[in-house]
Amino acid sequence: MKNRNILVTGGAGYIGSHTVILLIKSGYNIIIFDNFSNSSRESVKRVEKLVDTSITVVEGDIRKREDLQKVFISYKIDSVIHFAGLKAVGESVEKPLKYYDNNVYGTINLCQVMAEHDCKSIIFSSSATVYGDPKTTPIDESFSTSATNPYGKSKLFIEEILRDVYFSDTSWKIVLLRYFNPIGAHASGTIGEDPTGIPNNLMPFISQTAIGKRKYLSIFGNDYDTHDGTGVRDYIHVVDLAKGHVKALDKIHTFNKIMTINLGTGEGYSVLDVVKAFEKVTGKKVPYKIEARRAGDIATCYADPSYAKKVLDWKSEKTLEEMCADTWYWQSQNPNGYQSH
Ligand code: NAD
Ligand code: UFG
């Protein structure tokens, strides 16, 4: 079943680039489809170096039928791994239509073109954000869903749309992967997360502070009901996350229902736990200040990952220390991300 053509939308991005490496190593033929709105060709070049082969890259937008048609006409695509999307929560509140257009309309367009070419197999990048503010933790896939911002709603809407697509035609094979908090980088230090501007997320902010690009980390609240008052999350190494996609793709044709699967470690760490682990592993100081809570944040979010173990035979392997070490290696080798070279 390997040797299949896999279209990877958003394959030049953070999670996509790490996943493409493992897919190629597993024997899949990859076509990256990306409009480079939040990534660069440099990431693909580096992936090519790591896998020692050239990769087919199509520059295109999932909202443009003609861009997608070209790919589906040129290649017989077996399955799509659909990473392409915008992901900045704050920006989504300012520009909701941009998010619904890109994420929701883009996905509808993609599925329509897929169906026209009789490609009915898709793995979708969903998020733990769809659990809203969960009543208890760990969170399993049966928990109720909700969203408070357009980014989160776009993920929920897409999940619902894909469920309807499946119920209208059960020959579709659909896997909804709900990621918890991906961090870390490839052990080579040559690819990693490269946020534009000031990072929104914790780990890139920590590593940019450690390298001196930011003066200090603002910790958003220390009065949550957690072991030290700071927010608790389930940080997962991006390479573990990537492995989850390979497992899902290996099995996708065997599933006889639409699958919704958490990809997390099952461990919750606070902001201060992460700062301490980072300092210990790297020997770098991360100055911080406690500030007000960030609007929309919740106290605690971590996965029950047992369903992924059961149906994908997947579980995360890397420790928080490894996540910090790999993030730091990437950051220190590439202080300005992909622009360094
Ligand atoms: P990323 O921004 O690094 O990658 C997304 C890629 O999609 C980029 O290369 C971007 O250029 C491309 N893209 C965006 N819109 C496109 C369009 N209209 N047409 C073609 N390409 C387009 O983000 P990432 O962290 O790798 O996230 C990948 C997916 O996982 C996203 O859908 C994101 O919402 C989801 N996700 C991410 C996280 C996280 O914390 N990183 C958590 C949960 C879910
Ligand atoms: N935090 C800080 N300071 C910062 C950044 C974050 O204290 O500068 C804290 C937050 O308050 C939170 C924790 O660090 O307690 C993690 O925050 P992130 O922004 O890194 O991650 P979130 O859990 O808020 O959200 C992320 C993505 C969402 C995604 C979600 C679940 O941004 O898009 O993980 O996958 F939906």
Side-chain angles (χ1 to χ4, degrees):
M1 281 300 276
K2 299 275 167 101
N3 217 10
R4 295 183 257 152
N5 289 336
I6 310 300
L7 184 67
V8 184
T9 75
Y14 172 47
I15 304 170
S17 56
H18 289 81
T19 305
V20 162
I21 294 174
L22 297 185
L23 291 169
I24 292 174
K25 288 193 171 162
S26 301
Y28 290 106
N29 303 325
I30 298 307
I31 296 122
I32 290 179
F33 183 90
D34 204 301
N35 67 356
F36 298 100
S37 59
N38 197 40
S39 53
S40 69
R41 284 192 175 265
E42 180 64 21
S43 68
V44 181
K45 276 196 203 149
R46 296 193 187 184
V47 169
E48 286 179 322
K49 227 174 167 181
L50 288 169
V51 293
D52 197 21
T53 180
S54 65
I55 299 172
T56 307
V57 181
V58 177
E59 183 163 355
D61 194 305
I62 51 168
R63 292 166 299 176
K64 292 195 184 138
R65 283 184 72 79
E66 60 277 19
D67 289 357
L68 289 167
Q69 285 288 4
K70 259 190 239 160
V71 181
F72 280 87
I73 288 166
S74 306
Y75 305 92
K76 176 77 194 138
I77 304 290
D78 173 84
S79 301
V80 176
I81 304 187
H82 180 30
F83 293 108
L86 298 174
K87 61 169 183 176
V89 173
E91 188 194 39
S92 81
V93 176
E94 307 281 318
K95 298 176 180 164
L97 296 177
K98 179 176 174 184
Y99 275 67
Y100 293 132
D101 179 49
N102 196 83
N103 295 2
V104 181
Y105 171 67
T107 303
I108 293 171
N109 207 33
L110 171 66
C111 290
Q112 282 173 334
V113 176
M114 286 173 67
E116 281 167 30
H117 293 269
D118 203 31
C119 171
K120 296 183 180 176
S121 163
I122 184 169
I123 296 174
F124 171 63
S125 301
S126 189
S127 165
T129 195
V130 303
Y131 293 115
D133 192 354
K135 285 200 178 70
T136 57
T137 43
I139 303 166
D140 72 40
E141 292 82 354
S142 71
F143 275 39
S144 63
T145 54
S146 68
T148 52
N149 59 70
Y151 167 71
K153 286 181 194 168
S154 78
K155 293 293 176 194
L156 264 185
F157 295 157
I158 296 167
E159 284 200 1
E160 288 300 314
I161 290 165
L162 291 174
R163 279 192 194 94
D164 287 339
V165 166
Y166 175 76
F167 291 125
S168 74
D169 173 356
T170 53
S171 68
W172 277 82
K173 303 288 179 185
I174 301 177
V175 180
L176 310 173
L177 295 178
R178 292 178 173 164
Y179 314 152
F180 282 68
N181 290 51
I183 59 170
H186 191 264
S188 65
T190 60
I191 62 164
E193 189 171 10
D194 183 20
T196 39
I198 301 170
N200 297 308
N201 298 115
L202 179 65
M203 191 47 118
F205 209 105
I206 289 179
S207 61
Q208 290 196 7
T209 305
I211 208 158
K213 288 178 84 174
R214 313 274 157 211
K215 269 202 171 123
Y216 61 90
L217 166 74
S218 298
I219 296 187
F220 300 140
N222 68 347
D223 56 352
Y224 286 105
D225 184 15
T226 62
H227 64 273
D228 60 20
T230 65
V232 166
R233 297 290 183 276
D234 185 336
Y235 296 96
I236 175 166
H237 197 295
V238 65
V239 172
D240 278 336
L241 194 68
K243 285 182 186 163
H245 291 74
V246 178
K247 292 271 190 177
L249 190 60
D250 287 346
K251 300 204 172 200
I252 195 162
H253 291 292
T254 69
F255 294 136
N256 52 14
K257 61 175 182 173
I258 181 167
M259 304 294 284
T260 305
I261 307 171
N262 284 343
L263 293 183
T265 66
E267 295 268 359
Y269 289 104
S270 73
V271 177
L272 284 170
D273 291 337
V274 178
V275 170
K276 280 181 213 146
F278 190 93
E279 289 184 335
K280 186 176 144 216
V281 166
T282 65
K284 291 278 161 188
K285 199 81 200 127
V286 180
Y288 66 81
K289 286 187 189 171
I290 305 292
E291 294 190 354
R293 289 182 178 193
R294 183 171 66 179
D297 273 356
I298 57 174
T300 304
C301 175
Y302 61 92
D304 174 345
S306 51
Y307 191 58
K309 175 74 185 129
K310 185 175 161 203
V311 294
L312 298 181
D313 189 27
W314 171 92
K315 71 177 176 58
S316 70
E317 286 162 0
K318 292 183 185 278
T319 62
L320 180 61
E321 282 70 24
E322 289 172 291
M323 300 180 213
C324 292
D326 290 342
T327 300
W328 179 240
Y329 192 41
W330 153 250
Q331 177 74 71
S332 51
Q333 298 295 302
N334 306 271
N336 297 311
Y338 291 114
Q339 276 174 9
S340 314
H341 295 261

